[in-house]
């Protein structure tokens, strides 16, 4: 029955809400404006609109455009140096989950000494505490996948050690303002819409089956699952479907909140190991690949039968009565979104890596394994990778 909840981010949600950014109380006067190394926010006009809004608010900015998918520690440290050198007192993140995750780490390292890995918990991280409060953050999300606009975590890859680990958790790393404008998501291609939507789905699925689940997280998780099941196939078929984009954006916010009051499970740790070694693997694609074998394992172990039944019902199977119905609902959703046939080999992952990936998952993000209702051994991780190949 017990839970703790603290989500201090002001959420500005709705179509066209980017145009209200200048009317928000923005916590700074000079922003490091963080975007990806790609072209999307430049070509779709989101960058120009954001810059115009900052200008109207009387805020100067410096552009930092070096963030890749699965953001790297090296890019974080470069961004922090850029913020310091230019006297920035605010970080504005415009982009998807990678940009928002990196922006949080940049905000921390812009004012704290040393290396990011000095403050990371897990793997070779030195587990030090931040001594100075990070720069405030404004998150403008252009995708519906990670929920990073409303949580205090960022997942960063150490390109020197092949460790992909969650960083943060301090209250000061919650964005001060999150602008969630579904208009900005209309240009996301179908395949990446699917990848991102499944990432949001599994945040809530894992939060619902985790040992940390509670009354409050259950409410958010089930509503998120219902919205992803209803709207993701529509958004994949037609990116301009406004209602579908709004439904997915809403589900994404809810899934972000789930992670602040429950937790992800070992499924996320296993995928982080995959994309730590394969930088070009989209996080959502990796989750899709292992999801059926992963959840079949816990269903076979009878970890939480009724919870799997309830999630199947939320995904659009009201007649569901057996835990295995969740797998059928999940397979249908993947088929409807055109991602049921993803193969590890397409992203360069070989069977000979599975033992390495299983060890990496446990060594770098062992805390997520402790959120499983039934312990998952290294050998069982390898077996799940094998069944997913």
């Amino acid at each position: 029955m017990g839970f703790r909840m603290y989500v201090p981010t002001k959420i500005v949600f709705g179509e066209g809400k980017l145009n209200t950014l200048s009317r928000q109380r923005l916590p700074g006067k000079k922003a490091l404006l963080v975007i990806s190394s790609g072209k999307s926010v430049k070509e779709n006009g989101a960058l120009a609109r954001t810059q115009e809004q900052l200008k109207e608010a009387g805020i100067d900015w410096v552009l930092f455009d070096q963030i890749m998918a699965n953001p790297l520690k090296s890019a974080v440290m470069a961004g922090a140096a850029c913020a310091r050198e230019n006297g920035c007192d605010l970080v504005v993140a415009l982009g998807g989950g990678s940009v928002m995750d990196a922006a949080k780490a940049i905000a921390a390292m812009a004012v704290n000494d040393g290396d990011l890995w000095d403050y990371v918990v897990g793997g070779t991280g030195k587990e030090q505490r931040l001594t100075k409060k990070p720069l405030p953050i404004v998150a403008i999300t252009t995708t519906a996948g990670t929920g990073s606009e409303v949580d205090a975590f960022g997942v960063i890859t150490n390109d020197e050690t092949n460790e992909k680990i969650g960083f943060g958790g301090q209250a000061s790393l919650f964005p001060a303002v999150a602008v969630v404008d579904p208009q900005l998501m209309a240009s996301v291609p179908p395949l990446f819409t699917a990848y991102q939507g499944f990432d949001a789905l599994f945040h809530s699925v894992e939060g619902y089956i985790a040992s940390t689940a509670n009354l409050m997280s259950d409410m958010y998780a089930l509503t998120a699952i219902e919205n992803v099941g209803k709207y993701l196939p529509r958004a994949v078929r037609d990116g301009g479907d406004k209602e579908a984009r709004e439904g997915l954006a809403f589900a994404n916010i809810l899934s972000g909140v789930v992670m602040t009051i429950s937790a992800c499970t070992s499924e996320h740790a296993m995928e982080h190991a995959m994309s730590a070694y394969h930088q070009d693997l989209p996080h959502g694609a990796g989750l899709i690949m292992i999801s059926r074998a992963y959840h079949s394992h816990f269903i076979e172990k009878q970890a939480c039968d009724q919870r799997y039944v309830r999630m199947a019902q939320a995904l659009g199977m009201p007649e569901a009565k057996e835990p295995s119905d969740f797998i059928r609902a999940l397979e249908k959703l993947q088929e409807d979104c055109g991602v049921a046939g993803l193969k590890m080999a397409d992203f360069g992952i070989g069977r000979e890596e599975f033992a390495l990936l299983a060890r990496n998952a446990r060594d770098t993000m062992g805390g997520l394994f402790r959120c499983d209702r039934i312990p998952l051994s290294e050998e069982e991780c390898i077996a799940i990778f094998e069944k997913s190949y």
Side-chain angles (χ1 to χ4, degrees), residues 2-7 151 153 202-222 254-265 307 367-368 371-373:
F3 63 88
R4 292 183 300 168
M5 182 172 181
Y6 180 68
V7 185
D151 70 31
F153 290 93
F202 290 124
H203 286 160
S204 282
V205 166
E206 292 173 43
Y208 190 66
I209 66 169
S211 61
T212 50
N214 55 72
L215 286 172
M216 187 65 78
S217 65
D218 285 356
M219 176 184 71
Y220 281 91
L222 287 173
L254 299 180
S255 289
V257 174
V258 169
M259 290 187 289
T260 71
I261 46 180
S262 181
C264 288
T265 65
R307 286 181 174 265
L368 297 189
C371 297
D372 294 337
R373 289 177 183 257

Side-chain angles (χ1 to χ4, degrees), residues 322-379:
E322 301 294 332
S324 57
D325 289 332
F326 174 75
I327 301 300
R328 284 189 279 277
L330 181 62
E331 288 174 340
K332 183 179 185 304
L333 183 61
Q334 291 178 358
E335 290 166 0
D336 290 347
C337 294
V339 293
L342 292 179
K343 294 181 174 60
M344 290 187 184
D346 295 339
F347 295 91
I349 302 172
R351 279 196 170 97
E352 70 280 0
E353 299 179 62
F354 292 161
L356 173 66
L357 297 180
R359 287 194 300 272
N360 181 285
R362 300 181 71 85
D363 289 345
T364 59
M365 298 202 72
L368 297 189
F369 282 82
R370 292 192 289 274
C371 297
D372 294 337
R373 289 177 183 257
I374 294 175
L376 185 68
S377 70
E378 186 172 311
E379 292 73 21

Side-chain angles (χ1 to χ4, degrees), residues 218-262:
D218 285 356
M219 176 184 71
Y220 281 91
L222 287 173
T223 305
I225 292 167
E226 288 172 355
N227 277 269
V228 172
K230 181 177 180 180
Y231 292 115
L232 181 56
R234 285 174 51 180
V236 169
R237 286 194 301 270
D238 178 8
D241 184 332
K242 293 182 180 180
E243 183 181 33
R245 288 295 186 186
E246 287 175 346
L248 275 182
F250 179 56
N252 189 50
I253 292 173
L254 299 180
S255 289
V257 174
V258 169
M259 290 187 289
T260 71
I261 46 180
S262 181

Side-chain angles (χ1 to χ4, degrees), residues 86-136:
N86 289 280
C88 297
D89 60 357
L90 166 70
V91 177
V92 175
L94 172 66
S98 295
V99 169
M100 291 183 289
D101 283 7
K104 294 170 189 175
I106 289 170
M109 295 313 300
V111 293
N112 284 278
D113 296 331
D115 183 81
L116 175 66
W117 238 244
D118 294 338
Y119 305 98
V120 163
V121 177
T124 61
K126 296 181 180 178
E127 303 187 14
Q128 297 178 16
R129 294 186 63 83
L130 297 174
T131 58
K132 296 180 181 177
K133 185 178 180 180
L135 298 180

Side-chain angles (χ1 to χ4, degrees), residues 36 77 92 145 194 211 295 297 300:
S36 77
M77 296 307 297
V92 175
S211 61
H295 290 286
H297 172 85
E300 289 166 7

